[in-house]
Amino acid sequence: MTTGINELENVIQQYEESLFFVASLLKKDREEAEKLVIDTFLYMENELTSFPKKDASFDYWFVSNAVAYMFREGSFSFRNHPNLKDELINSTFKALGPFSQQTVILHYIFSIPIASISSLLNSSIEDIQNRIISFQLELIGELRSSEGMGSDCIQIEQLVRYSQEMLPEETATSARDHLEFCPSCRTKLALTTDVLQKVQLYFQPVPLETSILTPLLHKQQPPTKKKSFLYQIIAAASIVAIFGITIWNMPKIEHWTELANNYMKYGEFYNVWPEGTYVTEVSNIAFEVTNVEVTPIMMRVDFQVESERDFMYPNEHPLSEQIGKPLFDIRSYAGHNTFTIKTEDKIIPIRNITIFNKNFDGTEGSFFLDLKEMDGDIPDVFDLFFFTTRIGNYFGPWELEVPINYKEGVKKVDTVALEKSVTVKDNILISLDEWVTGSVGSSLRYKMDVSEDVIETDVRVNYNLENELGEKVIPHPISFAYSSPRHFGRGSGNDNHELEWYGFNQGSNEQLFLPYLLTSNEEKQVKPLDDKERLYLSLYEVQYFEEIDVVIPIPLSEIENESIQYSFDGTHFEIVLVRKVEGELANIYDVNIFGKEDDNLSIRNYYWFFDNEFGFTVFPYPDYHRGSNDPDAYGQFQITVFEDNVETVYIKASGANTTIQLEEPIKIPLY
């Protein structure tokens, strides 16, 4: 795009996922789908001059023309949904003609009103409604049968139209009155609505893990790197010197002059430079790397963003309330990482990254990079490559390459041999091996061994690294873009749950920490860590996973409200079963599982499942999560039974996560 990326960026943000979803149905693989979406945006940019601006909706015009273009360029050989498996919807949708397929796409994927679809496709409202209803009726299938319904009951097509407010007011009022006194029609309406919700879910675009627009954005003009006045003078002098009698000595003179200037200005010989040296500007937003500091375990990259544009903050951060939300999304985009280290023969992506703001609006801050991701020794010199497609709510891309002299510029670290160990719950041995600390961050190296009685379980001990005041050292990485919370199961709810998404895994391991503390007061402020401060490892919780075999029968016959008692290995369940809807076609039950542990310091999460689903359905499908409406519930779901001969269903659990809070935290001084 030569002129439209800034003007169309809001449209791109709004429709990128939806158009890719359409393309993924039209094309056989992701690469072809990406190309079709990019071609569609390029085509629509050229079509902007034909937009009828008076009395027209840009969104509706854009979508209808984009979809029409994709159908013209597509294969018309629709493949199955890329994420969902529903053979009935797949086959029914494929059987539609192109005009009906476009109608369904505009209605479901883009939520365009039927009247607007009628205008866009130059067809009557009645015709558009009939095409949508015809598609839906094919999916309802057996519900179209009149079995079990009276002569005055509402026909299935009217129920479908009623559920979508497509009936005339007088007919809708009559249907509403009938439904109030007819349980059969109410049941059929509920089942019809359930089918239509599944159709809506089927056509819900899937969030993209990586942007497909990077190739499009790369067609913009490449970013430039501003050069300082001193740099230009030195460069010019070097050219002149080529023809001078000091051709052999000049590089040495220039090298030592540069080092001397660096030390006089910045107090350092290497990896420093004048302001404005490494900066790239796109969309009137300038990104600059102002400084770097390198140690053998971590690197800190300082940055600043300058622009008069107002930013939105689409990303969250575990410390957003303390240091503000980040302007950057550090996920990988189409094979590009935010930071990559380039040597003569290797390209090494850096994935463990923490963004740390220095001001609340995120325009000044630091990236902390994990150099331990590099396989082998760190090279003497390398190039640090920065890439991002977005800053705040604006598209780039911004690209920058900064040369790093590691051998000469690396800062030393202090290493302390700890040689300390502690036993937890009589069967877990934790050994602290080494504490490495430097100006950019610290590293704790440790090992955990378990006894034979728990060797086959996944064991974890959660801990905090804290000072004498209970202020916690912040771990690295803390960005959710690459490191999800590492502890599993639900925590015990004590006050140590701000930053404990790290813990001891079995075997040897290492955890990095940032040079910052999170205070223990109500404000939860962030402050620098004093390298002379005495630190303690505070162990407070043990978690483990175990395979189990729990089978709980749930009788359904002749039940209005029933409580079922069941016990397993110290957990006492109370299962409350409530008949919610009774009808000739289906009965619906609410199932709530509550429980109590013998050990009040323990809590369990069970992996629930049903043996089969013949004759009944379950929503939401049970898993190890707690109840969505009641946090104290061990499980909450709804069973819909379609067959009269289903009298008992069996809920099972194949595994459980157990969290045990220690009565008192175990504190180990590091040094």
Side-chain angles (χ1 to χ4, degrees), residues 233-300:
I233 291 177
I234 293 176
S238 299
I239 296 174
V240 173
I242 293 176
F243 303 96
I245 59 174
T246 59
I247 186 170
W248 303 109
N249 295 322
M250 186 62 192
K252 297 180 181 179
I253 296 173
E254 179 182 321
H255 175 70
W256 288 108
T257 300
E258 182 181 355
L259 292 181
N261 287 336
N262 285 346
Y263 190 79
M264 292 293 293
K265 289 184 178 181
Y266 313 111
E268 299 287 347
F269 288 109
Y270 296 95
N271 301 326
V272 290
W273 47 79
E275 180 181 352
T277 301
Y278 297 107
V279 59
T280 176
E281 184 172 345
V282 179
S283 302
N284 296 319
I285 300 172
F287 171 85
E288 181 177 0
V289 172
T290 58
N291 185 49
V292 298
E293 190 160 329
V294 190
T295 71
I297 55 175
M298 295 177 70
M299 175 190 295
R300 191 191 73 239

Side-chain angles (χ1 to χ4, degrees), residues 319-470:
L319 296 175
S320 289
E321 294 184 4
Q322 287 78 28
I323 62 175
K325 296 182 179 180
L327 284 172
F328 304 89
D329 188 343
I330 60 174
R331 292 176 297 178
S332 172
Y333 283 90
H336 291 278
N337 292 276
T338 306
F339 283 99
T340 304
I341 287 177
K342 295 184 176 181
T343 66
E344 292 183 355
D345 56 351
K346 289 184 179 180
I347 297 178
I348 306 165
I350 302 298
R351 295 185 174 86
N352 288 334
I353 303 172
T354 292
I355 306 174
F356 211 88
N357 292 346
K358 293 181 180 178
N359 58 6
F360 206 75
D361 60 11
T363 56
E364 289 186 45
S366 302
F367 294 97
F368 289 85
L369 314 182
D370 182 358
L371 292 186
K372 295 172 58 56
E373 292 187 66
M374 303 184 68
D375 185 17
D377 295 334
I378 300 175
D380 292 346
V381 293
F382 58 83
D383 290 327
L384 182 67
F385 183 74
F386 170 83
F387 172 87
T388 186
T389 60
R390 293 175 64 177
I391 295 181
N393 50 314
Y394 301 105
F395 283 108
W398 289 261
E399 299 179 68
L400 205 58
E401 197 161 340
V402 180
I404 303 296
N405 189 327
Y406 176 80
K407 179 180 179 181
E408 304 294 345
V410 64
K411 299 297 180 66
K412 293 183 178 180
V413 295
D414 295 323
T415 302
V416 178
L418 299 177
E419 298 180 353
K420 297 182 178 183
S421 61
V422 64
T423 301
V424 182
K425 301 297 286 188
D426 298 326
N427 52 17
I428 302 172
L429 176 65
I430 295 174
S431 304
L432 304 183
D433 298 331
E434 195 173 67
W435 172 249
V436 182
T437 183
S439 58
V440 175
S442 305
S443 165
L444 176 65
R445 295 170 183 167
Y446 57 83
K447 185 178 181 182
M448 186 174 80
D449 296 302
V450 298
S451 58
E452 292 185 0
D453 59 326
V454 293
I455 195 67
E456 295 182 357
T457 62
D458 183 3
V459 180
R460 181 165 297 163
V461 179
N462 288 334
Y463 67 92
N464 284 312
L465 188 63
E466 56 189 38
N467 62 11
E468 293 180 336
L469 299 177

Side-chain angles (χ1 to χ4, degrees), residues 467-479:
N467 62 11
E468 293 180 336
L469 299 177
E471 298 171 327
K472 300 173 181 61
V473 184
I474 299 174
H476 168 83
I478 60 171
S479 171

